[in-house]
Amino acid sequence: MFKKTKQTQLPDINQQEISTLIGDGFVLNGELTGASVIRIDGKVTGNVKTGNGIILGEKGIIIGDIETTSAIIYGTVNGKVKVSQLEIKKTGKVNGDIKTETLEIELGAQYNGNLEMKKLIHVEEKTV
């Protein structure tokens, strides 16, 4: 009968609790996986995969691929980034390919790589 299309709304990473922190001066070698939001201010050499999001601080460095729902990049990423929402802040640097639905790049940010953007997922609801 009637169809109503609505976009799926991703939760705002700024409104979520950070459950894990890798502080400035810490170095992690190996793959990092988890379900909630993580903030990285140190250095991670390896792939990072989280369920809810990543905040990479200004001194943070990731040498590896990132896969998550939302990411805010203030630091440096050397690897592929696969996210639904991506923000690269003015101090951020991404060297690698990006796959995302939404992208925000502040003036002064650096990005070197290929970009693939897909349309937002639409959910159709039937109402009677």
Side-chain angles (χ1 to χ4, degrees):
M1 298 245 161
F2 299 100
K3 289 185 181 180
K4 185 178 179 183
T5 304
K6 69 176 183 179
Q7 294 178 344
T8 56
Q9 189 70 18
L10 295 171
D12 185 8
I13 193 170
N14 293 316
Q15 303 300 319
Q16 296 184 39
E17 181 179 337
I18 296 172
S19 69
T20 305
L21 174 66
I22 297 175
D24 185 18
F26 282 85
V27 177
L28 177 70
N29 294 308
E31 190 165 307
L32 182 61
T33 59
S36 56
V37 177
I38 183 171
R39 180 176 174 104
I40 299 171
D41 290 310
K43 180 178 180 180
V44 175
T45 302
N47 297 334
V48 180
K49 185 175 182 179
T50 67
N52 288 335
I54 296 171
I55 300 171
L56 183 63
E58 285 187 36
K59 295 182 180 180
I61 299 171
I62 296 176
I63 300 172
D65 298 342
I66 294 175
E67 187 174 339
T68 188
T69 54
S70 298
I72 301 174
I73 308 296
Y74 293 93
T76 302
V77 177
N78 292 318
K80 296 177 185 174
V81 179
K82 184 178 178 183
V83 297
S84 295
Q85 289 180 311
L86 178 62
E87 294 179 40
I88 305 174
K89 299 300 185 178
K90 65 182 178 182
T91 57
K93 297 176 184 130
V94 176
N95 298 304
D97 296 344
I98 294 175
K99 287 185 180 183
T100 187
E101 293 178 9
T102 62
L103 176 64
E104 180 181 323
I105 301 176
E106 283 187 356
L107 185 63
Q110 296 179 19
Y111 167 58
N112 297 299
N114 295 314
L115 174 63
E116 181 181 329
M117 293 186 74
K118 58 184 176 180
K119 293 182 181 180
L120 292 172
I121 300 168
H122 295 281
V123 178
E124 289 189 11
E125 289 183 357
K126 292 182 180 179
T127 56
V128 181

